[in-house]
Amino acid sequence: MKVLLVKDVKNLGKAGEVKEVKDGYGQNFLIAKGFAQSATTEVLRKFESDKKKQAENLRFELANLEKLKEELAKITLEISKPVGANGALFGGVTKDEIAHALKEQKNIELDKKSLECETFKKLGFYEVSVKLGHAIHAQFKINIKAL
């Protein structure tokens, strides 16, 4: 019996491969547990079309991430905070505040967990790195000013 593996199966193969297996193993284990589907022409055709759709979606997502990366490179955020007598900030500028300022000023929504920076405790210009996903990293600048 030929089966199309839906998930990786140890000692048999990886997802997407078509394998020849014994009828009992294919029906009673692989298909019953959801590891495989019977490899009919319809199932194979559907699998190929789904694979093409996923590749197209990935290309679209990567293009959007590259566009966002270029957009972020041009940005300089302005963040105003109260300062003490020695020029040090009260508290600091956190990732959450940076993400909120980015949303308010530039209408770009990023998760604060994707920002790679420490809490800034002094006035000045800083660079912030962002993990966008799919091994794409971007950077933008922030200017922390006295309120």
Side-chain angles (χ1 to χ4, degrees):
M1 146 180 237
K2 284 191 176 192
V3 293
L4 170 68
L5 296 177
V6 178
K7 298 179 183 174
D8 292 352
V9 179
K10 191 174 181 179
N11 297 329
L12 184 60
K14 299 204 177 280
E17 294 179 355
V18 176
K19 294 290 183 174
E20 184 73 37
V21 295
K22 293 184 179 179
D23 291 347
Y25 180 62
Q27 285 292 344
N28 299 330
F29 180 72
L30 295 174
I31 294 173
K33 298 278 186 186
F35 292 125
Q37 293 180 336
S38 183
T40 62
T41 55
E42 184 180 317
V43 169
L44 292 174
R45 201 175 304 126
K46 183 179 181 325
F47 179 75
E48 288 299 320
S49 69
D50 289 347
K51 200 170 163 182
K52 287 179 184 176
K53 283 181 188 175
Q54 287 176 344
E56 185 62 34
N57 288 341
L58 181 62
R59 277 195 293 277
F60 180 73
E61 188 175 337
L62 288 174
N64 284 342
L65 290 177
E66 286 294 334
K67 183 178 168 188
L68 179 60
K69 178 182 176 179
E70 292 171 8
E71 197 175 316
L72 284 172
K74 300 174 187 173
I75 289 178
T76 301
L77 282 180
E78 302 283 332
I79 298 176
S80 298
K81 296 285 283 186
V83 295
N86 61 352
L89 294 172
F90 288 126
V93 179
T94 63
K95 293 178 182 182
D96 191 36
E97 290 174 311
I98 294 170
H100 186 71
L102 192 62
K103 173 74 174 146
E104 278 186 357
Q105 295 177 22
K106 305 297 180 182
N107 202 24
I108 297 174
E109 195 164 341
L110 290 176
D111 186 17
K112 68 181 180 182
K113 295 173 188 166
S114 67
L115 299 175
E116 295 180 320
C117 63
E118 299 295 320
T119 300
F120 300 113
K121 298 195 182 266
K122 294 185 179 179
L123 301 175
F125 284 91
Y126 298 97
E127 274 200 9
V128 178
S129 295
V130 183
K131 286 187 203 173
L132 297 176
H134 297 289
I136 297 176
H137 296 270
Q139 291 186 337
F140 64 93
K141 295 179 180 79
I142 61 170
N143 180 15
I144 302 173
K145 302 188 298 187
L147 185 63

